[in-house]
Amino acid sequence: MSTSTEHFGKPTARLVATEGSQLDALNQWVMEVARLTEPARIQWCDGSDSEHDELIELMQDEGTLLPLNPDTHPNSWLHLSDPDDVARVEHLTFVCTSDAETAGPNNHWMAPDEAHAKMDALFAGCMRGRTMYVIPYCMGPIESPLARCGVEITDSPYVVANMRIMTRMGAAALARIEREGSFVRGLHSIGELDPERRFIMHFPEELLIKSYGSGYGGNALLGKKCHALRIASYQARQEGWLAEHMLIVGIQNPQGETHYIAAAFPSACGKTNLAMLIPPESYRQAGWKVWTVGDDICWMRPGADGRLWAINPEAGYFGVAPGTSNKSNPNALASIQRDTIFTNVATTADRQPWWEGLDDRVPATDWQGRDYDRGNGPAAHPNSRFTVSAKQCPSYSSHAEDAQGVPISAIVFGGRRASLVPLVFEARDWTHGVLIGASMGSETTAAATGAVGVMRHDPMAMKPFCGYNFADYFAHWLSFDKPGAKLPKIFHVNWFRKGDEGQFLWPGFGDNLRVLEWMIGRVKGQAGAVDTPIGALPKADDLTLDGVQLTPEAQEKLFAFEQEGWVREFDGIASYLKEYGRRLPSALLAEQENIASALRK
Ligand code: O2Y
Ligand code: MN
């Protein structure tokens, strides 16, 4: 049962604080926020089923959560967000460190005093007549030394329901906060949902997030991008670990060995599909299996054995719905048949959730709740989402809850590149791999507001998420290469190479396992490759390509090293890296210059 009070001054039964304890600090912060925001009531969330049922009922009564067909999708709901609140807002997202250099040119920066004043003016009285929910949560398995806790205060019951799926939320997290002595504070209000009064502010030095004016995904579920990436990346640098925008997948070969791969791709480039990959038929027959540990965020740190060990800090998936189908991602589709919150999808006449790419049914209503009319554009919003527990995925790894994490054999960086970049190549060493990650470029997608299809540099897929200066972040990455380290091999992939007619050259999806198999072969010193200035490239026959129909154009371009194009690419990389000025680690610049000169020979 959840505990609530009618007046915010009253202590709750659940919160038993001793003077000077963490709960005392938490209680004081909650009261301070309540004095500022003036809620009608405060509810401490314990994550229980009864609390969840009450919230679902409340949102149905309010009309903010609509029931879906209980026969086809039991316990599943549809939330339609404000049409002006459908994605992350990078131009309104700030990192507020004491000096601008710490945040770096990769972040919008505001001085902490100014940011606090701006945000506190927005928060003043904003919860009048509303309930203020206090959500203790843990990012990562509750007993894991790699996990970290936070508390989100919000006036959105939709946020509570999503945080319950995406994090370990409630009593166990509160107990760990009391034990541990530190937690990330996140203050959120939907405010008036006015895009003119919307800001997502991070104060890494204070382990604090303030988010106002949006109820959507990464802007509002503060455990995800705000805590697990922006704040955690800053903390990770101080503490000697890495908080990355990476999926984690386990590849089990027919001999029964499992290799864990962490892979960074910019938003909406198929991370969820790769994390839940279904092997091609011939691989399944041979005994290959794929296990999902995480689809979006990876926290890793060196273990006593020198290897990097990783956890998925999240407990659920906030996946893109459009394009998810039985062909692209059967595991995701199987996961979302029950106990799922859908946001901004369309519905069929019998109230089933629907989106473009699912199947050829015609929807009845669109993502704004209107009767479907082709003239209004896509029925589901391109950034519409499903929120579902990771445990519902048929490929969920039995090691996903391991407190020590899983050992990482390979790190993969990938982008959406129509030309030049081959299917896969391997870094010569860690420094080269860090340069490959730092040089990543990709064409933009609908996961954030702004133009789609524009090429931008997105180092390690962290451009929107690194909580400090990229120059220092690259130095932090380089620092892992020290005596005794047994670091993973680093690769780059491009599933999105196009031919002269604009068609994709690589089938992608399950066939990506062929590329992962080659990587594992490289890790074990068994697979072939040709050395080039950009790294080691496989020849077509270094991959298992039985049953894949590649056109002659695909055979050529997917495995080609196009020297002239790479000379130009490296000029672009040099200009991009130089934006970070004197703070850029010299080892990274030297690596770039060595490759650039090898390319000119
Ligand atoms: O958080 C959002 O509002 C949408 S963007 C998103 C959601 C889940 C996982 N990754 C992303 C992303 O932008 O990388
Ligand atoms: Mn993401």
Side-chain angles (χ1 to χ4, degrees):
M1 267 296 287
S2 60
T3 318
S4 61
T5 58
E6 290 305 317
H7 305 287
F8 61 73
K10 281 189 194 161
T12 65
R14 182 152 299 282
L15 193 71
V16 187
T18 51
E19 188 92 22
S21 77
Q22 274 310 305
L23 292 190
D24 191 37
L26 172 57
N27 202 10
Q28 277 176 25
W29 176 57
V30 169
M31 293 309 151
E32 194 185 298
V33 168
R35 274 191 293 276
L36 176 68
T37 59
E38 300 176 30
R41 55 194 288 275
I42 300 175
Q43 180 165 337
W44 286 81
C45 300
D46 61 8
S48 63
D49 289 346
S50 56
E51 172 184 271
H52 177 70
D53 295 346
E54 280 167 27
L55 281 175
I56 296 285
E57 213 172 294
L58 171 87
M59 287 187 276
Q60 284 195 82
D61 292 348
E62 280 177 345
T64 52
L65 207 61
L66 308 166
L68 289 164
N69 187 322
D71 299 323
T72 60
H73 292 76
N75 257 316
S76 296
W77 314 94
L78 171 64
H79 172 76
L80 301 181
S81 74
D82 186 286
D84 280 329
D85 184 30
V86 292
R88 289 185 291 102
V89 282
E90 289 177 18
H91 60 297
L92 302 174
T93 300
F94 287 75
V95 168
C96 310
T97 42
S98 345
D99 77 301
E101 275 292 291
T102 305
N106 44 304
N107 281 302
H108 299 295
W109 175 82
M110 197 179 288
D113 285 353
E114 186 190 345
H116 281 304
K118 192 184 233 345
M119 295 307 278
D120 291 352
L122 292 170
F123 279 112
C126 74
M127 295 190 191
R128 271 178 217 144
R130 298 182 186 168
T131 299
M132 181 174 114
Y133 300 94
V134 182
I135 315 170
Y137 63 87
C138 181
M139 300 308 294
I142 200 94
E143 297 303 336
S144 172
L146 283 81
R148 293 287 182 279
C149 287
V151 176
E152 175 165 356
I153 296 181
T154 180
D155 54 10
S156 162
Y158 166 80
V159 165
V160 182
N162 277 269
M163 286 289 283
R164 183 171 185 263
I165 298 174
M166 296 302 295
T167 72
R168 282 84 174 172
M169 179 258 255
L174 195 61
R176 180 165 167 161
I177 288 170
E178 170 67 334
R179 234 182 19 245
E180 195 157 51
S182 133
F183 63 96
V184 170
R185 291 174 296 157
L187 172 55
H188 168 254
S189 171
I190 56 172
E192 308 79 27
L193 292 177
D194 175 357
E196 301 296 319
R197 287 164 56 82
R198 178 174 297 161
F199 291 100
I200 325 296
M201 303 271 192
H202 304 76
F203 303 86
E205 293 149 341
E206 299 170 60
L207 300 185
L208 174 65
I209 304 153
K210 292 185 177 178
S211 167
Y212 189 91
S214 166
Y216 197 84
N219 303 330
L221 312 179
L222 301 186
K224 191 172 178 57
K225 303 298 189 179
C226 299
H227 177 164
L229 288 176
R230 298 194 190 96
I231 298 288
S233 59
Y234 183 94
Q235 239 182 338
R237 179 176 172 234
Q238 293 179 320
E239 297 173 7
W241 49 283
L242 289 165
E244 298 301 321
H245 190 203
M246 292 179 176
L247 65 92
I248 310 167
V249 67
I251 309 294
Q252 184 179 328
N253 68 16
Q255 294 74 50
E257 276 169 20
T258 302
H259 285 269
Y260 293 93
I261 296 179
F265 294 83
S267 306
C269 280
K271 287 220 309 288
T272 305
N273 294 347
L274 187 62
M276 299 179 186
L277 179 152
I278 304 260
E281 179 58 30
S282 59
Y283 278 68
R284 284 206 298 273
Q285 297 283 336
W288 288 83
K289 295 196 171 94
V290 173
W291 303 111
T292 309
V293 179
D295 80 328
D296 194 42
I297 301 180
C298 163
W299 287 357
M300 337 181 232
R301 79 168 183 206
D305 61 358
R307 292 190 290 175
L308 287 184
W309 290 76
I311 59 162
N312 170 14
E314 300 190 283
Y317 309 118
F318 186 64
V320 188
T324 304
S325 70
N326 232 336
K327 173 171 185 291
S328 67
N329 195 336
N331 278 327
L333 204 61
S335 311
I336 58 180
Q337 297 308 302
R338 62 180 170 90
D339 299 293
T340 303
I341 299 173
F342 294 89
T343 302
N344 291 346
V345 301
T347 52
T348 59
D350 62 347
R351 303 291 301 160
Q352 294 191 47
W354 191 90
W355 47 84
E356 277 72 14
L358 175 61
D359 54 35
D360 53 13
R361 285 173 298 170
V362 176
T365 60
D366 73 6
W367 68 276
Q368 298 191 57
R370 303 174 297 198
D371 288 346
Y372 174 61
D373 175 349
R374 198 179 293 273
N376 285 333
H381 188 276
N383 194 34
S384 54
R385 299 275 166 171
F386 52 79
T387 320
V388 70
S389 165
K391 290 187 176 149
Q392 286 184 209
C393 182
S395 58
Y396 188 60
S397 166
S398 59
H399 295 286
E401 304 285 329
D402 286 2
Q404 78 276 17
V406 294
I408 299 296
S409 299
I411 288 177
V412 179
F413 295 117
R416 183 181 281 271
R417 297 294 298 268
S419 59
L420 183 66
V421 182
L423 180 62
V424 58
F425 58 96
E426 177 196 328
R428 272 178 294 283
D429 56 26
W430 185 257
T431 303
H432 180 211
V434 174
L435 177 70
I436 290 173
S439 315
M440 265 170 67
S442 193
E443 289 140 23
T444 52
T445 66
T449 50
V452 169
V454 178
M455 154 70 192
R456 76 166 178 181
H457 286 282
D458 190 352
M460 278 85 165
M462 284 287 279
K463 167 74 189 69
F465 307 122
C466 183
Y468 63 101
N469 193 319
F470 259 152
D472 300 337
Y473 171 76
F474 301 147
H476 181 49
W477 263 82
L478 291 172
S479 74
F480 285 82
D481 190 6
K482 54 172 103 139
K486 294 199 183 72
L487 295 168
K489 273 188 175 287
I490 298 182
F491 298 86
H492 187 281
V493 299
N494 176 23
W495 314 133
F496 302 97
R497 182 82 191 252
K498 288 185 175 171
D500 292 340
E501 307 300 320
Q503 79 287 17
F504 287 114
L505 294 178
W506 176 248
F509 303 111
D511 288 310
N512 292 337
L513 182 56
R514 300 170 190 278
V515 177
L516 303 184
E517 179 192 14
W518 178 77
M519 291 175 189
I520 293 167
R522 295 294 294 171
V523 166
K524 295 169 75 177
Q526 292 170 353
V530 177
D531 287 328
T532 78
I534 63 161
L537 267 72
K539 299 182 294 324
D541 61 12
D542 289 319
L543 265 67
T544 308
L545 290 176
D546 63 296
V548 188
Q549 301 300 321
L550 292 184
T551 61
E553 184 190 21
Q555 291 261 357
E556 187 211 317
K557 290 187 171 153
L558 289 171
F559 303 98
F561 159 57
E562 297 172 20
Q563 181 151 359
E564 278 177 27
W566 278 103
V567 169
R568 283 192 299 277
E569 179 80 4
F570 264 72
D571 288 345
I573 291 170
S575 318
Y576 175 69
L577 292 180
K578 282 178 183 156
E579 287 174 24
Y580 295 93
R582 295 166 61 84
R583 229 167 151 118
L584 194 73
S586 52
L588 201 67
L589 212 50
E591 185 73 22
Q592 188 279 328
E593 281 162 3
N594 288 343
I595 298 174
S597 76
L599 282 166
R600 279 196 210 92
K601 279 191 189 134

